[in-house]
Amino acid sequence: MIEPGPHSVHGGGLAAAVRRFGGRPGEWLDLSTGISPWPYQLPPFPPQAWQRLPEPETMAALVETAGVAYDCAAAAQIVPAPGSQALIQRLPELLRPGACAIVGPTYGEHATSWTRAGHRVDAIAAPDQVTDEHRVLVLGNPNNPDGRSWPPEALLAASAALRARGGLLVVDEAFADLQPELSLAPHLDQPGLCLLRSFGKVFGLAGVRLGFALCSPGPLAARLVESLGPWPVSGVTIQMGLRALADRDWINLTRARLGRAMPKLHDMLTAAGLEILGGTSLFVLVAAADGWALFEHLAKAQILTRPFALQRAWLRIGLPRDDLARGRLAEALASRP
Ligand SMILES: Cc1ncc(COP(=O)(O)O)c(C=O)c1O
């Protein structure tokens, strides 16, 4: 058995998969991420978007568009960044080192970043396990990879307790675009919240590198802006965000498409004998007898999925785009030993 290696750290890494398992990149079906298989169509970009440094006014327009798209409370302070990953890395550096609780398993970069910045990181299984010692609570809503979610009321109660001791609630809402009812954005008039949004997932444009911190009023947003420096996102990225985030029709169409496609994937995986542990509209987490072995079997059929180093039975599978892609996955699953 070959260990899944870099593939168990992040999705993607198609070039590494090609080197290890063969085939040509175009032959692969990449289901290793939670990125929508229906990308937003690129708009024509004005030449100035490439040629000139972004103006503060266009950046302000992006902030305003994001505020409306994410349904933020009017008092929210919004910080654009080159992907929510950049914010995940900077945020811990801006706070005095202390005890940070992270509800896991979740996106691994949170623990890495808080640890690297000198905080003590405690892995907890649910938000109600946070203790008086913790100054920061981090969780994903809905969570990657298991899709667990918490209603805003539960998180606001946790936030109130943290706030009482000067703490911060960080919610990674990278996958909340299709479950807006989970978002704390409308509650950002309350202090002590920092929400992270990712543009790349639902718009299927992870390579654009755009994300936002949505912060409660207070010093945090300005410190993030300072830490990111001038022109944190490119002119074309701003144009992309302005267009896509305001396109309600496209978002509704995508929600409907995903809503039709995901049950078909669930049915197929269940029929293939896999146990579904959870997921979102963009990916499913399944349990197999041996997730690493299944990863390898699928990779030999040029299908890339996401195994987990610590949870060997698990495999995360992104949404196939159409019947053809789903059929190919079904066929490969049927031929497993
Ligand atoms: C839960 C979660 N949060 C944040 C990110 C970072 O995404 P990005 O930097 O593209 O916004 C990822 C990437 O996979 C993720 O899965």
Side-chain angles (χ1 to χ4, degrees):
M1 166 63 47
I2 316 174
E3 287 208 10
H7 297 291
S8 64
V9 179
H10 284 294
L14 188 59
V18 168
R19 277 196 301 277
R20 185 155 150 199
F21 296 100
R24 287 193 306 277
E27 292 167 351
W28 278 74
L29 174 59
D30 184 358
L31 304 177
S32 66
T33 69
I35 297 165
S36 175
W38 296 293
Y40 191 81
Q41 206 185 340
L42 299 183
F45 295 110
Q48 306 90 289
W50 299 102
Q51 293 162 359
R52 297 182 56 79
L53 287 169
E55 299 280 356
E57 288 75 8
T58 45
M59 194 68 146
L62 177 65
V63 161
E64 197 183 323
T65 303
V68 173
Y70 295 136
D71 195 21
C72 291
Q77 298 183 338
I78 300 174
V79 184
S84 56
Q85 176 63 36
L87 296 159
I88 290 171
Q89 286 185 218
R90 278 178 174 78
L91 189 55
E93 290 166 1
L94 303 178
L95 303 180
R96 211 161 2 100
C100 164
I102 301 184
V103 180
T106 189
Y107 184 56
E109 294 288 333
H110 290 291
T112 304
S113 301
W114 288 92
T115 304
R116 194 194 299 115
H119 300 262
R120 188 189 90 204
V121 169
D122 295 333
I124 58 174
D128 59 8
Q129 290 174 6
V130 70
T131 72
D132 289 349
E133 271 183 281
H134 296 122
R135 298 297 296 271
V136 178
L137 171 61
V138 181
L139 55 89
N141 201 33
N143 188 45
N144 174 14
D146 56 13
R148 277 196 298 166
S149 64
W150 292 272
E153 308 78 64
L155 297 186
L156 289 173
S159 161
L162 278 160
R163 196 160 65 225
R165 48 181 189 274
L168 180 70
L169 173 63
V170 180
V171 186
D172 184 337
E173 295 189 351
F175 288 98
D177 292 42
L178 295 151
Q179 286 168 276
E181 68 286 357
L182 293 179
S183 176
L184 291 185
H187 303 279
L188 281 167
D189 47 350
Q190 302 185 24
L193 295 171
C194 179
L195 317 179
L196 303 171
R197 301 295 292 235
S198 176
F199 177 81
K201 311 269 181 282
V202 81
F203 290 101
L205 294 171
V208 166
R209 310 305 305 132
L210 177 62
F212 297 90
L214 314 178
C215 304
S216 302
L220 185 60
R223 293 171 73 187
L224 277 170
V225 169
E226 193 185 351
S227 146
L228 289 161
W231 320 293
V233 295
S234 71
V236 282
T237 297
I238 294 176
Q239 294 303 321
M240 194 67 244
L242 282 172
R243 178 72 73 100
L245 286 166
D247 196 341
R248 302 306 308 173
D249 288 348
W250 185 90
I251 293 167
N252 289 333
L253 179 78
T254 298
R255 182 174 291 131
R257 261 178 163 176
L258 292 166
R260 283 191 300 272
M262 190 44 93
K264 293 186 194 170
L265 177 62
H266 276 227
D267 289 351
M268 187 275 275
L269 294 171
T270 309
L274 294 168
E275 183 194 352
I276 294 179
L277 301 175
T280 65
S281 332
L282 291 171
F283 60 79
V284 183
L285 183 68
V286 298
D290 183 344
W292 292 5
L294 185 53
F295 164 78
E296 199 178 308
H297 172 76
L298 293 173
K300 285 178 180 158
Q302 262 85 70
I303 299 174
L304 191 59
T305 54
R306 161 71 155 94
F308 292 82
L310 298 180
Q311 294 86 9
R312 190 167 167 157
W314 292 8
L315 198 66
R316 196 188 65 194
I317 302 175
L319 186 67
R321 184 184 164 94
D322 49 26
D323 292 347
L324 202 68
R326 198 175 46 252
R328 189 172 155 193
L329 176 62
E331 206 173 299
L333 287 172
S335 71
R336 71 189 190 274

